[in-house]
Amino acid sequence: MISKFIYTKILGWKLVGDFPRDLKKYIVIGAPHTSWKDFPIAVLARNSWNVKINFIGKKSLFKPPFGFIFRALGGAPVDRSKSNNKVDAIVDVFNKHDEFRLALSPEGTRKKVTEWKTGFYYIAKGANVPIVMFTFDFENKQVKLSEPYYTTDDMKKDFNHFYDFYRGIKGAKPELFHVPDKA
């Protein structure tokens, strides 16, 4: 497979773990999301594992001349200017499909944030799907995957689990990544 050759042999990255093959629906949270480089790294990794993962992106990415590329890669546009309930809309997407795996950034941006967004968490709870954690570890040139994690009724416990997984991971721009000490 060409993606795996590029990813491992040319770029020198490693794949650690695997996507759950027996699950048809889950959320993938990818962090640290600090650079435009994260997207091509994620696409190459996804293709290397040969698994279909969808993503959402700002509406402007899907306009000509390159919008068709993002759609072909599994993307769907989201209009961030509207104040509609995106969590419920995405839960509906999960409920309407037999197979749907959605990648999101818990930070919600490439800029430094002190608190992670919670949308991915509420989507997972609403759709009753697990969360798989995915790292962009530029220091060790590896993408690492977690086992599926099913949310509990204790949001703080769940977020502390996520934070612990990403602690010590260095993104493309390490100064832009912050893992809170505790939820």
Side-chain angles (χ1 to χ4, degrees):
M1 170 179 292
I2 189 97
S3 291
K4 192 168 189 176
F5 179 80
I6 293 168
Y7 186 76
T8 59
K9 302 298 182 196
I10 295 175
L11 299 177
W13 278 66
K14 293 177 255 166
L15 303 167
V16 179
D18 197 359
F19 286 100
R21 301 296 175 165
D22 57 331
L23 294 175
K24 301 290 183 196
K25 296 181 183 185
Y26 50 87
I27 293 179
V28 178
I29 56 171
H33 183 33
T34 61
S35 168
W36 65 268
K37 297 174 191 172
D38 301 336
F39 182 75
I41 291 295
V43 170
L44 284 169
R46 176 196 71 182
N47 292 349
S48 296
W49 268 299
N50 196 27
V51 65
K52 183 179 179 187
I53 305 288
N54 301 95
F55 65 91
I56 54 175
K58 58 186 174 184
K59 190 177 174 182
S60 61
L61 291 175
F62 294 87
K63 292 182 179 177
F66 300 110
F68 75 96
I69 295 171
F70 289 107
R71 286 187 207 300
L73 291 171
V78 173
D79 187 352
R80 292 196 230 175
S81 67
K82 294 183 179 174
S83 60
N84 51 8
N85 189 329
K86 290 177 187 65
V87 169
D88 288 344
I90 295 170
V91 168
D92 285 343
V93 172
F94 270 98
N95 292 335
K96 289 177 182 172
H97 289 85
D98 293 330
E99 186 174 318
F100 192 73
R101 299 171 191 97
L102 178 64
L104 297 168
S105 165
E107 302 138 294
T109 182
R110 291 187 306 261
K111 297 176 182 137
K112 186 170 185 170
V113 296
T114 57
E115 289 185 33
W116 289 4
K117 302 285 186 184
T118 58
F120 74 91
Y121 183 79
Y122 289 110
I123 294 166
K125 287 192 85 62
N128 196 29
V129 297
I131 295 169
V132 174
M133 294 167 278
F134 180 105
T135 65
F136 296 104
D137 186 349
F138 278 77
E139 181 178 52
N140 297 303
K141 291 185 90 172
Q142 68 182 15
V143 164
K144 180 180 172 185
L145 286 162
S146 74
E147 293 293 320
Y149 180 82
Y150 288 87
T151 59
T152 68
D153 290 328
D154 185 344
M155 187 175 183
K156 285 185 180 183
K157 175 187 168 238
D158 294 340
F159 267 77
N160 286 331
H161 177 79
F162 305 141
Y163 296 156
D164 287 345
F165 185 81
Y166 290 102
R167 210 169 302 288
I169 302 295
K170 300 254 189 315
K173 296 179 181 177
E175 69 279 6
L176 297 181
F177 185 56
H178 174 75
V179 177
D181 292 329
K182 291 281 180 195

